[in-house]
Amino acid sequence: MSLALTLRTLPQIAATASVPNYNPSTLSAGIMHFGVGNFHRAHQAVYLDDLFRLGLDHDWAIIGAGVLPSDAIMREKLAEQGFLTTVVEQERERSQARVSAPMIDMLVADDAAEIIATLANPQIRIVSMTITEGGYFIDASGKFFDKHPAIVWDGANPSLPRTVFGLIVAGLKRRREQNVTPFTIMSCDNIPHNGVVTKNAVIGTARHSDPGLADWIEQNVAFPSSMVDRITPATSERERSHCEKTFGIRDNWPVYCEGFKQWVLEDKFTAGRPALDKVGVKFVPDVTPYEHMKIRILNGGHAAIAYPAALLDIEYVHEAMEDPDICAFLRKLERDEIIPVIPPVPNTSLGDYYEIIERRFSNPKIADTIPRLAHDGSNRQPKFILPSTADNLAAGRDVTGLALVSALWCRYLAGKTDSNRSINATDTNLQRIQAAALAAANDIDEFLGLADVFGTVGKSPVFRKKFASAFASLRAIKTRRTLQLYAAGNL
């Protein structure tokens, strides 16, 4: 017999899952979080749940906020269960469930007035976000694209904002008018220098409508950078069914993740912070070495294996790691072209870190999917792969493997696997980049000329030559043989 997840059923659920030892109804909000997806609920929310279980900082609970109209469904599903979440940690040798309860409410994206009012509430001292890599309006060079139509709209209509940044600016404007200390703005997305990126987006949006407010934000608001890490696949009926059958919990939207988690955070806050250092968060003066390590080795590794796996009809990440040719390709790429251009990380061996990443990718219980890793390449490639390419080019180092990653992405976008099955590619810029990928069969300039993706890398003669060679190989002898040639040093 299974139980629906509610506050009322927590005593019974405690027989199969760890449940909060605090009363969620006594929490008060100190954080507003944009983007209540699986990663947030497996990461930031879990750290806060750990902290609350220590009996600390119960005035730092979360009010969630939707980013897209479709997030209203998430709000409905979570509200039915009192905003509780079952988090299932999956390792090879064990699976264990916990119920987390740090979120006390969630607002929908369409309710701008309520979101702005909440942002203006003095109790909200941190505004955090997981809005994906594509949500920051940045170009291939990492600069804020202030001419994006959504940003231009928010500049012309500051009281009716449509973007997260327009909403944040409206909330800060109201706090300034009411002489309320501004909140800290904390990105938890996988973007290099995410604090700086977020600062540029907020100030750039404000400058459209109120340059004085933009200057005030620059002088008074903290934007700490962070490195976040936990592999968290999407929730499907598979996870819901497993949660009910294994733990007897009927959860509308359970979260499945690996046991590993990491959070490195710049210790820079405007209005205080919860004592997250007591539950494993590392506070440092500079996050840069840690974010380079994680974004390039882990996220870059994900981006590297996604497209050969898709072209070889592989569905899950652990299955890709079981494929000897993909595994050998990834290992050579990481050791020869990614790790050598990563600056040193305090008290960390980058080689040992990669070994941990390889084991995490190989975890069969996570069931992370290749389509999830392959999604939105036009936003992920410039952040996870091409910075390593640029650094190698600048240092006169080899880029054969990194050029192969870009060529594999191009082949993937053409829409057919090596066995001629259809690929359902997904990307925020799909129509434009897919057309360019198809045109690359006759002229690689059509693809490498995507300036918002490749930037100056696409103009490099060395990179262009390596890309052309890899692309020709993929077309002539397909994916597996090309991977084998690269692993053997013969591509």
Side-chain angles (χ1 to χ4, degrees):
M1 177 181 171
S2 61
L3 293 165
L5 179 60
T6 66
L7 290 170
R8 181 179 53 81
T9 58
L10 283 180
Q12 290 76 41
I13 287 173
T16 58
S18 171
V19 301
N21 61 358
Y22 56 91
N23 183 352
S25 66
T26 65
L27 300 176
S28 60
I31 299 171
M32 187 167 194
H33 182 85
F34 286 95
V36 186
N38 278 15
F39 178 76
H40 163 69
R41 293 188 296 139
H43 190 265
Q44 181 183 353
V46 167
Y47 278 105
L48 284 165
D49 185 60
D50 285 341
L51 186 62
F52 296 166
R53 291 183 187 214
L54 294 179
L56 300 173
D57 291 346
H58 286 190
D59 58 340
W60 284 98
I62 301 166
I63 292 177
V67 176
L68 302 170
S70 57
D71 289 338
I73 298 172
M74 170 77 80
R75 201 264 175 209
E76 177 186 339
K77 296 295 186 183
L78 293 178
E80 287 179 6
Q81 54 197 50
F83 301 102
L84 301 173
T85 291
T86 308
V87 179
V88 180
E89 298 179 354
Q90 297 268 73
E91 295 294 341
R92 281 182 179 271
E93 68 282 0
R94 64 175 176 84
S95 296
Q96 61 185 35
R98 65 184 291 167
V99 175
S100 70
M103 190 166 74
I104 60 175
D105 197 2
M106 179 178 174
L107 307 178
V108 296
D110 291 341
D111 196 351
E114 185 64 24
I115 290 175
I116 294 169
T118 303
L119 290 169
N121 186 331
Q123 287 187 308
I124 299 300
R125 288 151 285 162
I126 292 176
V127 173
S128 56
M129 61 188 76
T130 44
I131 56 176
T132 78
E133 298 81 15
Y136 288 80
F137 303 98
I138 53 179
D139 61 21
S141 67
K143 294 181 179 178
F144 177 60
F145 183 46
D146 64 354
K147 293 181 176 59
H148 190 283
I151 298 299
V152 173
W153 165 272
D154 281 4
N157 303 274
S159 61
L160 296 170
R162 294 177 176 175
T163 72
V164 169
F165 304 111
L167 291 164
I168 288 173
V169 169
L172 286 170
K173 181 177 182 179
R174 193 170 296 182
R175 289 175 86 104
R176 185 180 65 158
E177 291 169 348
Q178 297 171 358
N179 197 30
V180 173
T181 301
F183 43 68
T184 296
I185 303 174
M186 184 175 72
S187 170
C188 299
D189 278 300
N190 287 311
I191 298 176
H193 311 296
N194 55 16
V196 176
V197 169
T198 305
K199 180 178 182 178
N200 292 340
V202 172
I203 293 174
T205 301
R207 206 165 290 287
H208 269 289
S209 59
D210 190 337
L213 176 62
D215 291 341
W216 179 85
I217 292 171
E218 188 166 15
Q219 295 163 10
N220 293 280
V221 178
F223 295 85
S225 288
S226 68
M227 184 272 265
V228 296
D229 192 4
R230 191 171 218 184
I231 296 173
T232 311
T235 297
S236 67
E237 189 53 43
R238 175 184 181 275
E239 284 74 30
R240 279 184 281 270
S241 176
H242 182 273
C243 186
E244 182 171 0
K245 291 178 180 177
T246 306
F247 303 104
I249 304 171
R250 295 198 307 277
D251 187 326
N252 290 326
W253 216 304
V255 171
Y256 277 60
C257 57
E258 63 178 337
F260 179 94
K261 67 180 187 299
Q262 188 176 18
W263 194 0
V264 183
L265 189 55
E266 186 180 6
D267 202 355
K268 184 172 67 175
F269 291 81
T270 307
R273 62 167 174 82
L276 292 166
D277 48 308
K278 296 186 181 297
V279 289
V281 177
K282 180 188 288 290
F283 286 93
V284 298
D286 183 12
V287 175
T288 304
Y290 300 92
E291 67 182 13
H292 272 143
M293 175 182 73
K294 189 264 176 173
I295 286 174
R296 296 195 182 193
I297 297 177
L298 186 144
N299 296 108
H302 268 163
I305 65 174
Y307 305 111
L311 290 166
L312 293 172
D313 301 303
I314 294 172
E315 183 177 0
Y316 291 104
V317 176
H318 69 274
E319 293 174 339
M321 296 304 293
E322 291 168 357
D323 185 294
D325 295 322
I326 293 178
C327 192
F329 157 66
L330 177 63
R331 187 175 294 121
K332 179 175 172 60
L333 176 73
E334 293 273 14
R335 291 180 173 173
D336 290 1
E337 300 182 36
I338 294 179
I339 290 175
V341 291
I342 297 175
V345 181
N347 303 312
T348 302
S349 162
L350 296 179
D352 291 348
Y353 180 79
Y354 171 68
E355 294 296 329
I356 293 170
I357 296 301
E358 191 172 283
R359 290 196 295 273
R360 292 168 63 194
F361 284 6
S362 302
N363 183 349
K365 285 190 176 178
I366 290 295
D368 200 7
T369 67
I370 294 301
R372 186 185 80 86
L373 303 192
H375 170 67
D376 214 18
S378 66
N379 281 301
R380 296 186 178 193
Q381 291 280 311
K383 299 173 182 67
F384 302 156
I385 293 296
L386 293 169
S388 295
T389 311
D391 284 353
N392 275 290
L393 289 170
R397 297 180 54 86
D398 186 33
V399 293
T400 300
L402 290 163
L404 174 55
V405 174
S406 296
L408 285 160
W409 179 43
C410 186
R411 285 293 293 163
Y412 163 87
L413 287 169
K416 293 288 185 181
T417 71
D418 284 3
S419 66
N420 210 36
R421 294 182 183 176
S422 294
I423 294 174
N424 182 28
T426 59
D427 197 288
T428 52
N429 300 299
L430 183 61
Q431 185 174 357
R432 177 169 60 90
I433 63 168
Q434 193 163 52
L438 290 167
N442 298 314
D443 184 359
I444 62 169
D445 282 343
E446 295 290 335
F447 193 64
L448 298 185
L450 293 168
D452 59 324
V453 175
F454 289 99
T456 59
V457 169
K459 299 177 182 178
S460 162
V462 173
F463 176 75
R464 292 166 60 81
K465 182 178 179 180
K466 293 291 187 179
F467 177 93
S469 176
F471 190 59
S473 179
L474 290 169
R475 297 186 68 203
I477 58 176
K478 299 194 174 180
T479 302
R480 186 170 298 283
R481 184 58 184 144
T482 301
L483 295 179
Q484 291 170 347
L485 288 175
Y486 170 70
N490 296 321
L491 185 61

